[in-house]
Amino acid sequence: MVNIKKLSGRLYIVLILLILYAPLAILIICSFNNSKARNIWGGFTLHWYADLVHNQEVLEALRTSLLLTVSAALIAVVLGTLACVGMSVMGKKLRAVLINITNIPMLNADIVTGVAIMLLFAHFLTLGFGSMLIAHVTLGVPYVIINVMPRLRDASKGVYEAALDLGASQTYAFFKVVLPEIFPGIIAGFLFAFTVSMDDFVVTYFTKGPGINTISTMLYQQLRRGINPQMYALSTLFLISILLILGMVYRFSEINTSKREDN
Amino acid sequence: MTDNRRLWSGPYIIWSAGFILLPLLMVIYYGMTNGDGSFTWDNLAAFADPIHYRAFINSVVIAFGSTLFCLLLAYPLALILGRRKGKNTDILIMIFIIPMWINFLLRILALQMILSNTGILNALLEFLGLAPVHLMYSRTAIMIGMVYDYLPFMILPIYNAIRKIDQDVIEAAGDLGADGLTILTRIILPLSVPGVISGIIMVFIPSISEFVVADILGGSKILLYGNVIDQEFNLSSNWNLGSGLSIVLMLFIFASMAIMNKTGSGEEDMVSW
């Protein structure tokens, strides 16, 4: 009886994994398929990869995406961390208002967030890299705040106050005492902001200027135009890099936990 | 010594006023005026136009269906994973989340390859001697796309909620004679409600305004509310009407969220990743 339960549990896990990964596996297989048709195997090839690395449109989009995502995540981390420090010493009412405002981009439909920022820029300024960057920072800050806030709440107040008593300035005490304590939260916030920005299509689609494409908006145009097996190659490269990054993050967190356990 | 740390949130306060609140005010301004800037209710009233409210109903039905299927698929999985003992459960849950990191459009591309008339699914059916299915450009295709896309968003919060349940409570119930089913229905289910609620929010909200999945898997045959808004901004360049329809969507989302939060125990951290 117990064994049947265990077995069906395992089977269910495998089933869901199959649903999630089968499409990705097919993408990878097709990236090596020497035929444009999806249901015919035309032999093994790497030429979609060769074409991809010479595709200016893809390279340009990749460059824009990386620049946009990294700068948006960095700005979001600075803004969000500063906001958390300020919020931790703020009056309750003001803090509640700020938290509610912060929740808006997370909970609102992306299409409304995108349209709203687009209207602001199209009305007063122009759409371009600037509007995309501001939109992506706005999407990212809430995730920084929800990751840093709990760390800051748990950080020991005593050490900070001791530092002040011993003559440290508030800024100095922050960098020397508080920052190291909340640093894991900041890293997590950065990763969240990075992911949200990298994966975003809708907000970028509305706030982008003419002629600028991120990977997402470039893919959208490609998908509407029809099949291009280079995109399968791109997916495969993405999947590999994601697995590498996750592996690294995992190792990093493992080292961190073992350090903590040592203490 | 005055605490100058209060000022540290200054940049973000300015930022959120300028880039969260002001843009929403712009939507309201455009939605409540016509082309020459005079006040009107027309853009809001346009919701009653059959094209618009039918698209809205389409969206609600598909979002509801996707959310339901996600819940049905995710709950047993979260239960199995959440009750698992052993170290590698964390890695296992990671494996379920990895697809979320693949660009959303690439995931849709993968599904398109499977579902299209000359796709993998029909090749497989043909191989097995079965009749081909025409899934593309249907509600079913859109729903499959959304379930595939948002499933991890449902798994994660429910898993976290089940993980948090105190093992002692379950053991106590067992000691007092409760069988497996009673433990499930009387303890685990009620205690996982906050996770279920956040899962529902995280699947339903993006589904209701979705338009890319409908664009690619639904062709132009099925119009969702998101498609209507997209078209008003990008095809017809009628920003006033587009804004009016966006206001309705926003009101609907915040109203349904308020209702769901009432149903849940009023957890403060709804987005509990």
Side-chain angles (χ1 to χ4, degrees), chain B residues 2-272:
Chain B
T2 57
D3 201 338
N4 68 29
R5 282 180 299 166
R6 205 181 302 260
L7 299 175
W8 288 25
S9 50
Y12 177 62
I13 292 177
I14 294 165
W15 186 282
S16 58
F19 302 120
I20 297 177
L21 294 181
L22 190 59
L24 289 180
L25 288 177
M26 292 299 291
V27 176
I28 294 168
Y29 168 76
Y30 270 92
M32 308 271 266
T33 53
N34 59 20
D36 44 301
S38 50
F39 176 83
T40 175
W41 289 107
D42 289 353
N43 302 313
L44 291 173
F47 180 74
D49 193 327
I51 306 171
H52 298 148
Y53 79 75
R54 275 193 204 130
F56 188 75
I57 290 169
N58 257 341
S59 284
V60 173
V61 169
I62 288 177
F64 195 80
S66 316
T67 311
L68 191 67
F69 274 113
C70 278
L71 185 59
L72 291 177
L73 284 173
Y75 199 93
L77 182 76
L79 191 63
I80 295 166
L81 291 176
R83 303 277 294 129
R84 248 177 84 103
K85 292 165 196 102
K87 258 189 161 176
N88 44 18
T89 308
D90 281 342
I91 301 177
L92 204 57
I93 196 81
M94 219 30 185
I95 294 172
F96 282 94
I97 305 162
I98 287 173
M100 257 175 20
W101 273 291
I102 312 284
N103 192 295
F104 150 76
L105 285 135
L106 291 175
R107 279 176 283 158
I108 297 296
L109 171 68
L111 279 183
Q112 192 191 28
M113 290 168 57
I114 293 181
L115 300 178
S116 72
N117 289 341
T118 58
I120 310 289
L121 183 64
N122 277 337
L124 199 68
L125 287 175
E126 200 185 346
F127 180 74
L128 296 170
L130 299 169
V133 286
H134 297 286
L135 281 174
M136 277 299 270
Y137 310 130
S138 67
R139 274 203 185 81
T140 318
I142 300 178
M143 224 184 276
I144 292 174
M146 290 191 189
V147 171
Y148 181 62
D149 251 337
Y150 299 131
L151 188 59
F153 288 118
M154 188 65 94
I155 296 173
L156 211 53
I158 301 180
Y159 166 81
N160 283 335
I162 291 177
R163 203 75 177 157
K164 260 190 224 154
I165 297 174
D166 193 343
Q167 193 59 32
D168 294 347
V169 178
I170 292 164
E171 271 163 25
D175 291 345
L176 293 170
D179 55 20
L181 189 68
T182 315
I183 292 179
L184 179 65
T185 53
R186 300 291 294 274
I187 296 175
I188 299 178
L189 272 181
L191 287 175
S192 63
V193 166
V196 172
I197 300 257
S198 21
I200 290 176
I201 290 175
M202 290 178 66
V203 174
F204 189 76
I205 304 297
S207 313
I208 189 91
S209 58
E210 179 57 64
F211 68 98
V212 186
V213 177
D215 243 8
I216 288 159
L217 298 178
S220 45
K221 280 191 184 163
I222 295 155
L223 208 58
L224 297 189
Y225 198 66
N227 298 102
V228 175
I229 295 180
D230 174 34
Q231 285 173 8
E232 287 310 330
F233 278 99
N234 289 319
L235 275 175
S236 333
S237 295
N238 191 342
W239 292 4
N240 301 98
L241 181 54
S243 300
L245 297 174
S246 301
I247 295 174
V248 178
L249 177 64
M250 202 157 57
L251 291 177
F252 179 81
I253 286 173
F254 285 120
S256 43
M257 211 118 65
I259 292 167
M260 276 187 271
N261 279 336
K262 275 258 168 70
T263 332
S265 44
E267 282 252 310
E268 199 194 310
D269 52 337
M270 275 189 318
V271 189
S272 55

Side-chain angles (χ1 to χ4, degrees), chain A residues 104-119:
Chain A
I104 294 176
M106 267 199 297
L107 302 177
N108 204 351
D110 276 352
I111 193 169
V112 181
T113 308
V115 158
I117 296 177
M118 186 275 262
L119 284 176

